[in-house]
Amino acid sequence: MDELEVKNLTYVNLLWDAGFKAVYADPRNKHHLINLLNNVLPDGVVVSEIVEYRDREQTRDSTESKKTVLDLVCRDDRERIFSVEVQREADWSMFKRCVFYASKQFHAQLLQGQEYETLRPVYEVAFLKDRLPHSKKEAWDTDHIISQFGFVENRTGEFAPPTIFITFVELGRFTKCAAECGSYRDRLFHWIKNGWMMNADPDYAGKDPEMRSLVEAARIAAFPPKKMEDYERELMTELDIIIANRRNYRKGLEEGEAKGKAEGEAKGIAKGAYDKAVSTARNLLYEGITSEVVAKCTGLSLEEVKALM
């Protein structure tokens, strides 16, 4: 099924901004967001309660600063900030992007006159449809898809005080089928990656009340009218952006192919002219014409002519 096929779907695509926000940014589904975070955050970081869904549009530092709108930002009862993103494409520029997002959230906490000790940690979590490149490829497989980054001292490995943490969940590496999902985390990852393609509840939802609740939260037909309106509006906006990007990508490929063909033809013509000049130069040299005269007659450099002698 093509990912752009959005008609007649039973469940939202949780790897689309519109689908993810429809489920996880809805305060009525707060317990699902808590479960999601607790299954991917670093060891020892546990979310008990979310007390605020924050403004997703980040404040600009100046009129020329980049405008950024995040998928979901929330704060828990310990004043920690959690930002969650979903991305269909990923490379290592994604790391810079997530650091940018998190640092903006970290920076925005402190008001004039406040002490730095009041700063609370920011956790940036990105669910990726694709895979990230890793230098140690053998360390990453379908059971190891979560990357955790924080500030660590190089020599000792000592962690700095909690400030900014980046988590990637590479669903492109998760290849388990439904029958192989033995844990809640496996079922969660399988549902996020594959649920939108299903026409009926997966078998594991019947055995797991929490998964059954999450599946129901993603059921499009169960959305109240206002939520349906918001979902469809965001979905259409997202589709327009994706289609425009694909169109621009294809246009770039076509222009690149045309340019390459033209350059190739030009190089072919140039090579043909050069080969003809070399052949003429050899004939003239054979007739005893001086290399200086041959260079003038053929357009070759004196060094090129002398190399033929």
Side-chain angles (χ1 to χ4, degrees):
M1 184 185 296
D2 191 313
E3 195 181 26
L4 287 184
E5 178 58 55
V6 297
K7 295 180 179 179
N8 302 319
L9 293 185
T10 303
Y11 311 102
V12 298
N13 188 335
L14 290 170
L15 287 175
W16 281 50
D17 294 347
F20 181 83
K21 286 183 281 190
V23 174
Y24 285 108
D26 187 338
R28 290 169 294 187
N29 298 327
K30 182 169 63 174
H31 64 289
H32 290 307
L33 177 56
I34 292 173
N35 276 339
L36 181 73
L37 291 171
N38 285 335
N39 272 278
V40 299
L41 288 171
D43 291 343
V45 181
V46 178
V47 179
S48 299
E49 178 63 36
I50 293 171
V51 299
E52 179 190 11
Y53 289 81
R54 309 189 76 180
D55 187 356
R56 296 185 295 108
E57 184 171 336
Q58 294 192 315
T59 304
R60 301 189 190 196
D61 292 329
S62 70
T63 56
E64 296 181 357
S65 296
K66 178 179 175 62
K67 179 180 179 181
T68 306
V69 180
L70 306 178
D71 289 346
L72 188 155
V73 185
C74 62
R75 178 173 58 87
D76 75 348
D77 54 355
R78 296 176 60 183
E79 301 299 319
R80 298 173 297 187
I81 298 171
F82 302 90
S83 173
V84 190
E85 294 288 307
V86 290
Q87 295 290 336
R88 286 177 297 278
E89 299 177 2
D91 54 30
W92 274 120
S93 67
M94 178 60 61
F95 184 82
K96 293 182 178 180
R97 180 191 299 192
C98 287
V99 171
F100 177 78
Y101 292 163
S103 61
K104 293 277 285 185
Q105 291 289 329
F106 192 75
H107 169 266
Q109 295 181 70
L110 205 60
L111 302 178
Q112 186 173 356
Q114 290 183 322
E115 299 295 330
Y116 291 107
E117 287 76 11
T118 63
L119 288 169
R120 306 301 298 167
V122 173
Y123 297 86
E124 181 73 31
V125 180
F127 287 86
L128 311 176
K129 179 188 173 186
D130 289 340
R131 304 180 177 196
L132 286 173
H134 291 284
S135 57
K136 296 182 179 180
K137 297 180 180 179
E138 68 280 1
W140 302 93
D141 55 37
T142 193
D143 286 314
H144 300 88
I145 69 172
I146 300 178
S147 315
Q148 305 282 7
F149 296 88
F151 287 99
V152 181
E153 202 282 321
N154 285 342
R155 183 177 63 84
T156 64
E158 178 183 344
F159 275 94
T163 50
I164 291 176
F165 296 88
I166 309 295
T167 296
F168 294 114
V169 183
E170 301 174 50
L171 292 174
R173 298 185 184 279
F174 186 80
T175 57
K176 291 183 180 180
C177 66
E180 295 173 316
C181 295
S183 66
Y184 176 79
R185 177 185 285 186
D186 282 350
R187 293 189 287 273
L188 176 63
F189 291 164
H190 185 274
W191 175 250
I192 293 173
K193 183 176 182 179
N194 302 296
W196 68 278
M197 294 183 286
M198 300 180 186
N199 295 318
D201 295 359
D203 290 342
Y204 52 66
K207 305 172 185 177
D208 184 336
E210 182 61 30
M211 277 304 307
R212 186 162 61 249
S213 176
L214 177 59
V215 167
E216 190 59 31
R219 191 184 305 278
I220 299 172
F223 289 177
K226 179 61 169 63
K227 181 171 181 174
M228 179 69 79
E229 180 182 338
D230 292 342
Y231 166 69
E232 290 181 342
R233 183 178 62 254
E234 292 208 22
L235 184 61
M236 290 303 104
T237 300
E238 195 169 357
L239 271 171
D240 288 343
I241 293 172
I242 293 172
I243 292 171
N245 287 341
R246 288 193 178 186
R247 188 181 297 118
N248 290 335
Y249 176 74
R250 285 195 295 268
K251 182 180 178 182
L253 285 180
E254 292 169 357
E255 290 176 349
E257 290 174 356
K259 181 179 179 182
K261 182 179 180 181
E263 290 177 349
E265 291 175 348
K267 288 180 180 178
I269 294 171
K271 187 177 186 304
Y274 176 79
D275 290 344
K276 184 176 181 180
V278 169
S279 177
T280 301
R282 284 199 175 102
N283 291 334
L284 292 174
L285 290 170
Y286 182 78
E287 295 295 332
I289 307 299
T290 65
S291 55
E292 288 79 3
V293 173
V294 171
K296 290 180 180 179
C297 293
T298 61
L300 298 175
S301 68
L302 184 59
E303 290 75 14
E304 289 175 316
V305 173
K306 288 181 177 180
L308 298 175
M309 298 175 67

